[in-house]
Amino acid sequence: NKLQRCRPEAAPVEFGDYHPLKPIMVTDTKTRRGARKGSTSSSSSSSSSAPADPLSSMLDGTDPLSMFASEAPTISHSDLGRKRREKEEEAVGQDFEPWSSKRGEILARFTTTEKLSINLFMGSDKGKAPSPGSAVSEKVRTRLEELDDLEEGSQRELLNLSQQDYANRIEELNQSLKEAWASDQKVKALKIVIQCSKLLSDTSVIQFYPSKFVLITDILDTFGRLVYDRIWTMCSDPRPLPESFTVDDVNDTAKETCLNWFFKIASIRELLPRLYVEAAILKCNRFLNKSGIQETLPRLTAMIRGIGDPLVAAYTRAYLCRVGMEVAPQLKDSLNRNFFDLLGTFRQISGESVQNQLVQQRVEVPEYLTLYSPAINWILQCIAYRAPEDYINCAEIWMEFTCRHFTKREVNTILADIIKHMTPDRAFEDAYPQLQSVIRKILTYLHDFSVLFAMERFLPFLDMFQKDSVRVEVCRSIMEVFIKHQVEHTRDPVILNAMLHICKTMHDSVNALTLEDEKRSLALLIIGFIRMVSFGRDFEQQLSFCVEARATFCNLEPVLVQVSQPHPFITIPSLSSIFSRLSLYLLSGQVALANQCLSQADAFLKAAVSILPEVPRSISVEGKLRSSESFLLDFINNFLATLLVVPDHPEHGVLYLVRGLLNMVQDYTWEDNSDAKVRVYVSALPLLAAMSQETYLYSIPKVDSNETLYGGDPKFLSEINKLSETLIGQILDHLKTLGRDESTRRQGALAFSLFGVLLAHGDLRNNKLSQLAINLWNLSHKHGYCETRVSVRTLEYIKHQALQPDMSHLTDTVQRLALQSRT
């Protein structure tokens, strides 16, 4: 008949193309003739060019929600379901703080003393009388009427509830949901979920809204689990569904049931309950399409933009992010989109609607803003989860902002947060450049190291640099900033402990393969720190620090040199560098003299003299082999200058240190064709001349030098004269030797040097000494190697001196000094 011909043709549904809100395409195929005016009959028949009406195409026959209600399962699925849920919860690891841990805190924080209400519209469970028409049309109409009944049924209102009463009523609804589901009243279960979701649009007691969200989403979670478990159970007969199942493993009956749930939910008229209920069963998309979740999340995210109240929208986004993290934590795009959409809604806070609501409920804006914190915190936690790269790139920028505009407390908070996010799975190993940048930004703005090291999380932050080369580089950068900006000496234990830890890290990186330049660089940095440590007159503390530093930095000799001064007799002999030992013995002797420690000074200087024979003829300087003569001569000259103020030891005779030094010089194996030994003798003559004076050129306070001990004693002066004659004799003998060897250039230079010493320190009124000076002058100019300019200036100096009182004897001397041209 014609009515039969007008029935829509059923088309198979392709699950991959499924969309619950996809429009139904209808085309005219036949036109009914002679239709009466005003007839309610259809004037056309239709055929689908796309899937038929989703509410009818799958409903010929038994309702898939009840077709399995009377069937007893052949196997027990409770244990399988429990194990499956435990396995699926591992989609996010143990490092992700679950929603359950935040639930109690929110309920305890967001409370109210206002009276609350619950408005439920629970429709009748009785079926509607059938209307004329086809079987398929009847089922479609019945479904729509049931949904209408859910939203337009009889009202049940609970008023004047306390907060605890409200929570109890919501829990009762949760139990009712479970009981309805267990008794196969699936429609009633859906009614409860829809009506509870509607309660989330009520912000009449706004301070309580976060807690209301927690209570009601518990019901949504229960519903989502029940639906998913039901469908999963249908797929597990006769054998359990594998944990990592695909769409191909799902049977057609389970797919039809799953689709029916989505079709029901898509037909909910109000936006908010439709969003929440579909989000609750988001996981069920796995049964239909492998990309269903990935496609659904952006759609639901965009739909939330239709919610007018910014607070309601924020918590809807939080719930969507929560269920999204449970099923697809790797889909970060929808999380980011929800967050930025949330930021965009904050302009609504200053709008008329929100402001009027706050005035009506007597809520200040700061208090209102705190209501967003659980939602925002959750969304940010989801976004930041297992993001080493995205998170640290953001934290790196925020650290600079925080350092510039906030205090150490905020900087410490960000450091703690970075540690929290980068420690799991050793994520820091892939982010060393960004972590180094964080350190550089901190050091750029924080130069007070007592503040820096007082931050609780700074040193734990440094512990994340576990790659040796990176860790040393970071420690080096800290040391460079410390040396540059630490102006005053410090004894702050916080700074000392932290810097010792950092310096030890650098020191411990030194091994047999470390280049000398690297060692020298690290040593200079550590020495820079040690020099900034001072305990003032508390010598015990200073000594204790140096002892600790010596034990800590034993691999770097320059550092040992720096810390060896308080305990040289222990440290100096352990050094391998002979010139470091010589210099430290001399320096230690000078320090001892300055502190009136004469016996210690004597011991140090004797020790220096005793190791002179150990000086090698060549040493390594900056990686190159060089003669040690020039370094040794410099040391001996410094040593001779010190001996002027060193009093003789009463048990060792006159000038015993001078004699000991000269004896060592005499016995030392000098280089072939070297004048070094004789030059030492020349350098010793000014010392002996100074020692013969009634008043020395310089002295050390509270230390009696030989001028006081001997008081110009003739015996003492006689010893000086004898030693001087001996040295001059050695020098003259060497000059004769150079003449025989035809080393005239060396002979002239040495002769002129001795002439200068006699001129400056000798008494040329002595005819014998005056004649020796003239002979040395002539010898130095004999072969024309002497610098004419130097000779001229010397003669001018002598003439000038001859004009001084008591110096007229130089007039005769200068007349006998002639310049000779170079041949």
Side-chain angles (χ1 to χ4, degrees), residues 173-181 189 192-193 219 222-223 226:
L173 287 171
N174 201 1
Q175 292 302 320
S176 298
L177 168 63
K178 296 176 183 177
E179 292 169 2
W181 190 272
I192 295 173
V193 174
I219 296 178
T222 300
F223 177 72
L226 291 172

Side-chain angles (χ1 to χ4, degrees), residues 487-548:
V487 179
E488 298 180 353
H489 288 86
T490 182
R491 59 188 299 174
D492 187 332
V494 174
I495 294 180
L496 298 188
N497 290 334
M499 294 303 292
L500 280 172
H501 171 75
I502 291 171
C503 290
K504 186 177 188 304
T505 299
M506 294 193 300
H507 169 270
D508 292 348
S509 69
V510 175
N511 54 43
L513 300 179
T514 305
L515 299 176
E516 288 300 322
D517 285 346
E518 178 71 7
K519 289 182 181 179
R520 184 162 48 252
S521 175
L522 294 177
L524 288 174
L525 291 173
I526 297 175
I527 290 171
F529 158 62
I530 292 173
R531 287 176 175 170
M532 296 307 300
V533 177
S534 174
F535 290 88
R537 301 298 295 177
D538 191 344
F539 299 122
E540 289 295 329
Q541 283 278 25
Q542 190 76 40
L543 179 61
S544 176
F545 170 78
C546 290
V547 169
E548 182 180 0

Side-chain angles (χ1 to χ4, degrees), residues 131 178 230 243 358 442 467 489 576 648 710 782:
S131 59
K178 296 176 183 177
R230 168 68 172 163
E243 300 292 347
L358 298 182
I442 293 174
K467 185 178 179 182
H489 288 86
S576 60
D648 283 340
Y710 294 110
K782 181 177 180 181

Side-chain angles (χ1 to χ4, degrees), residues 408 442-443 446 448-456 458 478:
K408 69 173 184 178
I442 293 174
L443 295 176
L446 294 181
D448 188 339
F449 282 82
S450 61
V451 172
L452 182 64
F453 292 133
M455 289 194 297
E456 182 183 359
F458 184 75
I478 295 173

Side-chain angles (χ1 to χ4, degrees), residues 748 752 777 780-781 783-791 820 822:
F752 192 79
W777 173 273
S780 65
H781 289 76
H783 301 287
Y785 291 121
C786 199
E787 288 284 344
T788 303
R789 184 176 58 181
V790 175
S791 300
Q820 296 182 7
R822 295 184 180 181

Side-chain angles (χ1 to χ4, degrees), residues 101-121:
S101 68
K102 299 177 179 294
R103 184 180 181 279
E105 178 187 350
I106 296 174
L107 290 174
R109 179 181 176 189
F110 296 96
T111 60
T112 182
T113 57
E114 300 286 335
K115 294 301 181 181
L116 304 167
S117 63
I118 298 177
N119 293 313
L120 298 178
F121 297 86

Side-chain angles (χ1 to χ4, degrees), residues 122-127 149 153-154 191:
M122 304 301 292
S124 172
D125 291 338
K126 296 180 180 179
D149 188 42
S154 59
K191 288 180 184 180

